[in-house]
């Protein structure tokens, strides 16, 4: 009866997620800082400039928080609940002195991204010579990335919204080579599975799904008349270093990624690594 | 058969009744073992193989086998083991050739392309989907074989109904499709093994077979689908939103996903059409008519295999050797039974049935064939009755041949073990955690089978007698 599996596999492979473009409504934006009021206002203006492409359909409401207004995590969460923003903007190591050691995001950011459902735009910390503060304008190249890109509609909706009309959307997927090799080593010890066939077929299928999704997103955006250049970056590799290279090579202005993992309280592993390590560019955390 | 038996072997031989009854007991034991195949946890080929070995040993011990040289049409003597000419190699060649041909053609993505196109054509509407899948099941069963048809359509049904959120209708779809494979299996001379065996024995041409069977197949398919929809509450979608949602879901299917080469796809489509045309006209094509349909099937398989010349062994691995071994063993057993006068004994019983008259004899033979086929494999029945009817000098245009064809095929719709394709349908149900016991299947399938058998009996008696 292996032929049943064979044909089911063919049809499952042919059954692909369909992308339907939807506008994301971002009306209320909350900017969290621990800066003195004046600097906070200046920082808020830069954020507003960065988000200039947003809210084309809606009127935006802005709230810039300064000083110690949200010094405790409880105060921060209460403000988010009370103000009900569509987007929270903050930077790495908010209300933390650990910014000198680039090994974490801070308690505030880690709790914020996991407790609330509101997307968090994590920006470079002020004064960290990232160049972001001195730059102007909205993001042009937005990269959406995940370890399971295919079918993630929400991720793409946000990425499209931030790229804005005429921008460039890159859909990136790096398949974890070390994990793949681990499974291949196991398969090589199983006499019933031909190793070379398994290697070629599994690798091809792993890369095919995100590529197909990217093609579907491009087609879906075209169907909806969205003017955006769509590209896909799909490859095997070590995730963090590969994403780092892709970000640099493609001059990415904004990364968009999921941070929640239904099976755990902590932030999704890869998202955390990227948010901590790629400190110089803004990251939208969903 | 290429060879004529030597004069010595042809000499009429008297077999004591006791010996014939002993061999009859062996045949009954074989039939029972096949009926209990699942309980025995043994493959058909092994079961029949054991009985073939026992039959040959007994045949040799009782001096019933025609040992000695064979003489071909040029008068040349050839020494072949007695069990080699016992096998109908023409039938084996058709099955081997067509299964290889279908397997290689499947690799082009042709059948999945058609299947997905039809899914999209339905717009995700359950009733349209049932009719389109039903029609596809019948056509695929006729062109390919009923097991492959059930696997293709059944697999797609699972994926598409899951996608449409209609898992509650999956059991009904699979059941109706399973039943339709045996109706589709009636359409052409090569659609099922009983057709091949009976058609070859009765010398019915491909075109004649198709012209006789097609009207019944169309009507029986339509009635089965109508009943399937009615008894299982499968209805059209209502409301624009629901319709649009279903359409967008099936639009996500990519019919080109499995296609690696457009050239090979078109080549496969062309070869499939050509294969059907050549098979249909084998009896009138010069040279080819002498070589037979088995040659045609093998020749087309070889032509398709050229595309995969470096990896043909992968296709050999996929051949259903259990099925081929089963046929070979079965032909050997039946040959021994013929020599032991068992078939003659059954033929005497059959003469009583035929003596019931045109209406009674034909009708009883059809229904008896159906009942027998429902509890065990229909191939031994077809092989045995073909030998007996041939031995009785039944003319090609006799309705008795059609009674065997209709009964043997439709009998598979009464129980899940009645045919390989309904067994595949049940296997898919179980794979997807749908409850379906033996009796549960019988309870659901019998109403359809009764309607189909009444229709078939009426058709044979009114139009073919």
């Amino acid at each position: 009866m292996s032929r049943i599996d064979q044909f089911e596999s063919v049809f499952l492979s042919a059954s692909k997620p369909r992308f339907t473009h939807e506008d994301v409504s971002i009306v209320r934006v909350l900017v969290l800082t621990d800066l003195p009021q004046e600097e906070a206002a200046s920082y808020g203006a830069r954020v507003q400039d960065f988000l200039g492409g947003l809210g084309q359909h809606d009127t935006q409401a802005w709230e810039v928080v300064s000083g110690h207004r949200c010094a405790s995590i409880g105060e921060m969460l209460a403000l988010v609940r009370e103000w009900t923003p569509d987007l929270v903007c903050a930077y790495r190591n908010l209300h933390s002195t650990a910014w000198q050691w680039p090994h974490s995001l801070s308690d505030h950011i880690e709790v914020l991204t996991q407790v609330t459902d509101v997307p968090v735009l994590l920006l470079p910390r002020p004064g960290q010579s990232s160049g972001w503060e001195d730059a102007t304008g909205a993001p042009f190249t937005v990269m959406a990335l995940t370890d399971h890109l295919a079918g993630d509609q929400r991720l793409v909706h946000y990425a499209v919204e931030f790229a804005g009309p005429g921008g460039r959307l890159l859909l990136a997927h790096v398949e974890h080579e070390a994990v793949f090799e681990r499974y291949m080593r196991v398969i090589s010890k199983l006499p019933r599975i031909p190793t070379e066939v398994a290697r070629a077929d599994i690798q091809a299928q792993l890369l095919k799904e995100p590529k197909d999704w990217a093609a579907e997103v491009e087609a879906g955006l075209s169907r909806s008349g969205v003017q955006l250049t769509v590209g896909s970056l799909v490859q095997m590799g070590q995730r963090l270093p590969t994403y780092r290279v892709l970000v640099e090579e493609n001059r990415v202005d904004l990364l968009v990624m999921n941070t929640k993992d239904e099976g755990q309280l902590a932030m999704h592993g890869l998202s955390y690594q990227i948010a901590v390590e790629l400190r110089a560019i803004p990251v939208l955390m969903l | 058969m290429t060879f004529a038996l030597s004069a010595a072997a042809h000499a009429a031989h008297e077999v004591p009744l006791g010996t014939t009854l002993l061999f009859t007991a062996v045949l009954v034991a074989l039939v029972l073992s096949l009926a209990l195949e699942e309980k025995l946890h043994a493959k058909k080929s092994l079961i029949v193989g054991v009985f073939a070995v026992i039959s040959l040993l007994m045949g040799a011990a009782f001096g019933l086998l025609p040992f000695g040289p064979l003489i071909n049409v040029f008068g040349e003597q050839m020494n072949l083991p007695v069990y080699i000419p016992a096998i109908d190699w023409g039938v084996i060649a058709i099955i081997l050739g067509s299964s290889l041909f279908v397997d290689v053609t499947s690799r082009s993505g042709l059948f999945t392309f058609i299947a997905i196109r039809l899914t999209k054509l339905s717009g995700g509407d359950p009733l349209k989907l049932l009719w389109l899948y039903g029609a596809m099941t019948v056509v695929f069963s006729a062109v390919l074989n009923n097991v492959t048809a059930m696997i293709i359509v059944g697999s797609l049904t699972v994926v598409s109904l899951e996608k449409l959120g209609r898992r509650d209708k999956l059991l009904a779809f699979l059941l109706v499709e399973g039943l339709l494979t045996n109706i589709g299996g009636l359409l052409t001379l090569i659609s099922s093994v009983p057709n091949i065996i009976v058609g070859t024995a009765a010398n019915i041409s491909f075109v004649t077979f198709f012209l006789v069977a097609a009207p019944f197949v169309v009507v029986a398919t339509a009635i089965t689908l109508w009943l399937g929809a009615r008894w299982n509450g499968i209805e059209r979608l209502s409301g624009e939103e629901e319709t649009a949602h279903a359409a967008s879901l099936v639009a996500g299917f990519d019919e080109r996903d499995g296609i690696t080469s457009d050239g090979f796809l078109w080549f496969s489509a062309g070869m499939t059409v050509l294969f059907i045309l050549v098979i249909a006209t084998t009896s009138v094509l010069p040279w080819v008519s002498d070589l037979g349909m088995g040659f045609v099937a093998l020749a087309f398989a070889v032509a398709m295999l050229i595309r995969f010349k470096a990896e043909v062994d992968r296709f050999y691995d996929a051949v259903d050797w259990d099925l081929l071994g089963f046929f070979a063993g079965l032909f050997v057993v039946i040959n021994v039974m013929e020599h032991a006068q068992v078939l003659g004994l059954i033929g005497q019983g059959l003469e009583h049935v035929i003596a019931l008259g045109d209406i009674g004899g034909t009708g009883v033979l059809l229904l008896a064939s159906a009942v027998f086929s429902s509890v065990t494999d229909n191939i031994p029945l077809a092989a045995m009755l073909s030998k007996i009817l041939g031995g009785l000098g039944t003319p090609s245009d006799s309705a008795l041949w059609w009674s065997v064809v209709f009964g043997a095929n439709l009998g598979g719709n009464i129980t899940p073990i009645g045919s390989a394709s309904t067994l595949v349908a049940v296997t898919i149900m179980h794979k997807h955690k749908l409850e379906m016991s033996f009796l549960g299947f019988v309870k659901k399938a019998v109403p359809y089978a009764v309607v189909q058998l009444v229709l078939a009996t009426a058709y044979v008696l009114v139009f073919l007698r």
Side-chain angles (χ1 to χ4, degrees):
Chain A
M1 288 301 159
S2 63
R3 292 185 70 205
I4 296 175
D5 279 335
Q6 188 189 322
F7 275 100
E8 261 189 38
S9 302
V10 169
F11 290 122
L12 281 171
S13 172
S15 171
K16 296 173 182 174
R18 192 144 166 95
F19 177 75
T20 310
H21 174 64
E22 283 174 21
D23 283 325
V24 174
S25 174
I26 299 177
V27 180
R28 297 167 67 79
V29 181
L30 178 64
V31 182
L32 298 176
T33 76
D34 52 6
L35 302 169
Q37 197 167 8
E38 204 171 303
E39 287 176 43
S42 163
Y43 192 81
R46 170 63 188 116
V47 173
Q48 207 160 349
D49 176 43
F50 185 71
L51 300 181
L54 292 182
Q56 298 196 12
H57 318 289
D58 311 293
T59 309
Q60 290 191 356
W62 290 83
E63 175 74 6
V64 179
V65 177
S66 60
H68 294 283
R69 194 172 148 201
C70 286
S72 79
I73 291 173
E75 285 169 334
M76 177 187 70
L77 294 178
L79 179 64
V80 170
R81 269 196 300 274
E82 184 191 317
W83 209 73
T84 58
D86 300 308
L87 176 70
V88 176
C89 303
Y91 44 77
R92 293 167 177 85
N93 301 112
L94 181 72
H95 290 294
S96 167
T97 54
W99 57 268
Q100 300 162 80
W101 299 278
H103 304 288
S104 68
L105 295 175
S106 86
D107 295 347
H108 275 68
I109 297 299
E110 286 169 29
V111 172
L112 179 66
T113 57
Q114 296 307 295
V115 171
T116 71
D117 290 329
V118 185
V120 176
L121 178 62
L122 193 65
L123 299 159
R125 186 178 172 80
Q128 289 291 289
S129 61
S130 64
W132 179 77
E133 284 170 271
D134 305 325
T136 56
F140 176 77
T141 300
V142 175
M143 180 190 280
L145 61 91
T146 174
D147 53 353
H148 47 273
L149 181 65
D152 196 332
Q153 304 258 354
R154 184 169 177 254
L155 185 83
V156 178
H157 292 154
Y158 272 94
V160 169
E161 185 69 26
F162 277 81
R168 186 162 74 125
L169 170 67
L170 296 175
L171 298 170
H173 177 106
V174 176
E175 198 60 50
H176 206 316
E177 196 158 30
V179 174
F180 178 74
E181 288 303 331
R182 157 86 185 119
Y183 286 123
M184 284 304 113
R185 278 197 296 280
V186 172
I187 286 174
S188 70
K189 294 170 189 170
L190 301 174
R192 288 176 61 180
I193 304 178
T195 309
E196 284 315 306
V197 174
R199 171 178 287 280
D201 288 2
I202 294 173
Q203 183 167 318
Q205 188 64 27
L206 283 171
L207 299 182
K208 177 178 173 292
E209 287 179 11
K211 279 180 187 165
D212 284 349
W213 175 239
E216 171 56 21
V217 167
E218 189 172 8
L221 291 173
S222 171
R223 283 194 295 270
S224 302
V226 177
Q227 300 295 316
L228 206 63
T229 307
V230 181
S232 71
L233 303 165
V234 179
Q235 62 188 81
M236 305 287 293
Q238 275 186 289
R239 283 189 171 156
L240 187 59
T242 309
Y243 279 126
R244 191 196 300 276
V245 170
L246 291 177
V247 165
E248 284 169 11
E249 280 180 352
N250 291 282
R251 298 172 171 274
V252 173
D253 300 312
L254 172 69
L255 276 176
V256 183
M257 60 189 187
N258 290 311
T259 60
K260 293 183 177 63
D261 189 326
E262 282 180 9
Q264 63 185 44
L265 293 172
M267 193 185 290
H268 185 274
L270 176 67
S271 310
Y272 188 77
Q273 291 169 23
I274 287 174
V276 170
E277 302 248 350
L278 303 184
R279 302 180 80 82
I281 70 163
V283 179
L284 179 65
M285 308 174 89
L286 304 177
Chain B
M1 199 90 64
T2 314
F3 302 106
L5 291 174
S6 68
H10 263 308
H13 58 276
E14 289 293 322
V15 181
L17 182 62
T19 306
T20 301
L21 290 175
L22 181 65
F23 277 82
T24 307
V26 173
L27 184 63
V28 170
L30 167 64
V31 170
L32 287 176
S33 302
L34 287 173
L36 298 172
E37 182 195 352
E38 288 210 17
K39 297 264 181 221
L40 293 172
H41 292 294
K43 291 283 184 185
K44 278 183 189 152
S45 57
L46 183 70
I47 294 172
V48 176
V50 168
F51 280 92
V53 170
I54 293 169
S55 303
L56 284 169
L57 280 173
M58 285 174 63
F62 284 88
L64 301 175
L65 301 182
F67 292 113
L70 294 166
I71 302 165
N72 69 16
V73 289
F74 298 119
E76 296 162 346
Q77 280 198 356
M78 299 192 76
N79 288 307
L80 286 176
V82 71
Y83 45 84
I84 294 298
I87 296 169
D88 189 336
W89 292 102
V91 171
I92 301 275
I94 293 173
I95 296 162
L96 177 62
S98 22
S99 69
L100 274 171
F101 177 79
V102 167
D103 210 16
V104 184
T105 311
S106 299
R107 283 276 287 265
S108 71
L110 175 66
F111 304 126
T112 49
F113 178 87
I114 295 168
I116 291 174
R117 269 294 173 94
L118 287 178
T119 306
K120 284 182 158 180
L121 190 66
S122 75
D125 183 287
L127 188 62
K128 280 189 190 172
L129 209 56
L130 180 72
W131 278 83
L132 287 169
Y133 281 3
M136 182 163 58
T137 306
V138 169
V139 174
F140 279 9
S141 296
V143 176
L144 313 175
N145 61 65
N146 52 9
V147 169
T148 305
M150 188 63 228
I151 290 173
I152 294 177
V153 183
S155 307
L156 177 61
T157 303
V158 170
V159 176
S160 57
L161 289 190
E162 294 275 3
K163 195 175 176 99
L164 289 165
R166 299 271 171 183
R167 193 181 150 82
D168 56 320
K169 301 293 179 203
L170 183 55
L171 188 83
F173 267 74
L174 291 172
L175 178 75
V176 171
E177 287 160 6
L179 301 178
L180 287 175
T181 56
N182 291 322
I183 293 178
L186 278 165
L187 192 60
T188 76
L189 185 65
I190 57 159
S191 301
S192 75
V193 180
N195 299 4
I196 298 171
I197 294 171
V198 177
T200 311
N203 206 19
I204 302 171
S205 74
F206 185 94
V207 175
T208 306
F209 195 103
F210 176 77
L211 291 176
V212 170
F216 171 80
V217 170
V218 171
V219 174
T221 300
I223 290 176
T224 304
L225 285 169
W226 182 75
L227 291 175
R230 200 175 162 80
W231 288 344
N232 295 289
I234 297 168
E235 294 169 348
R236 295 286 309 265
L237 289 176
S238 57
E240 270 183 36
E241 197 180 326
E242 205 181 12
T243 310
H245 179 62
S248 98
L249 287 174
V250 290
F253 275 113
D254 179 4
E255 63 269 36
R256 299 195 57 80
D257 187 74
I259 297 169
T260 50
S261 154
D262 275 359
F264 185 51
L265 177 77
W266 286 109
F267 177 71
S268 299
M271 286 295 276
T272 304
V273 172
L274 193 62
F275 176 62
I276 295 166
L277 285 176
V278 176
I279 282 279
T281 54
T282 296
S283 58
V284 293
L285 290 176
W287 310 316
V288 177
S289 60
D290 292 330
L291 291 163
M293 282 194 287
F295 165 79
V296 174
L298 286 172
F300 272 81
V302 169
M304 292 302 291
L305 281 170
I306 292 171
R307 172 75 165 70
F308 298 95
K309 56 185 183 291
E311 47 174 338
V312 288
D313 49 334
R314 284 172 71 174
F315 293 99
Y316 301 154
D317 287 345
V319 169
D320 192 346
W321 294 110
D322 177 56
L323 188 72
L324 292 174
F326 167 64
F327 290 134
L330 185 68
F331 285 129
V332 170
V333 172
I334 288 176
N335 187 259
V336 176
M337 295 302 154
E338 192 179 8
H339 293 305
Q341 303 288 352
V342 175
L343 299 193
L345 191 67
I346 299 170
Q348 285 170 24
L350 197 60
E351 277 179 342
H352 292 299
V353 173
I354 295 167
L356 291 172
D358 264 6
I359 294 177
T362 309
V364 168
L365 184 62
L366 192 152
L367 295 176
S369 301
V371 171
F372 186 89
S373 297
S374 71
V375 289
T376 188
D377 208 292
N378 56 9
I379 294 159
L381 175 88
M384 207 165 61
L385 290 180
S386 297
K387 280 264 183 193
I388 294 167
L389 288 176
L392 293 173
T394 311
S396 291
D397 58 354
S398 168
L400 293 170
W401 295 109
W402 292 102
S403 290
V404 178
V405 168
F406 280 89
N409 280 285
L410 295 177
N413 280 349
I414 300 172
T415 69
I417 58 163
S419 81
S421 53
T422 45
L423 197 58
V424 170
V426 173
T427 306
I428 298 175
M429 289 173 194
H430 290 168
K431 186 169 184 269
H432 293 276
K433 313 276 182 271
L434 295 169
E435 293 259 335
M436 181 55 85
S437 63
F438 183 95
L439 282 178
F441 183 95
V442 173
K443 213 169 137 188
K444 282 185 182 294
V446 158
Y448 295 95
V450 167
V451 172
Q452 291 160 0
L453 285 168
V454 167
L455 193 67
T457 310
Y459 183 72
V460 171
L461 293 178
V462 174
F463 296 106
L464 307 179
R465 193 162 50 90

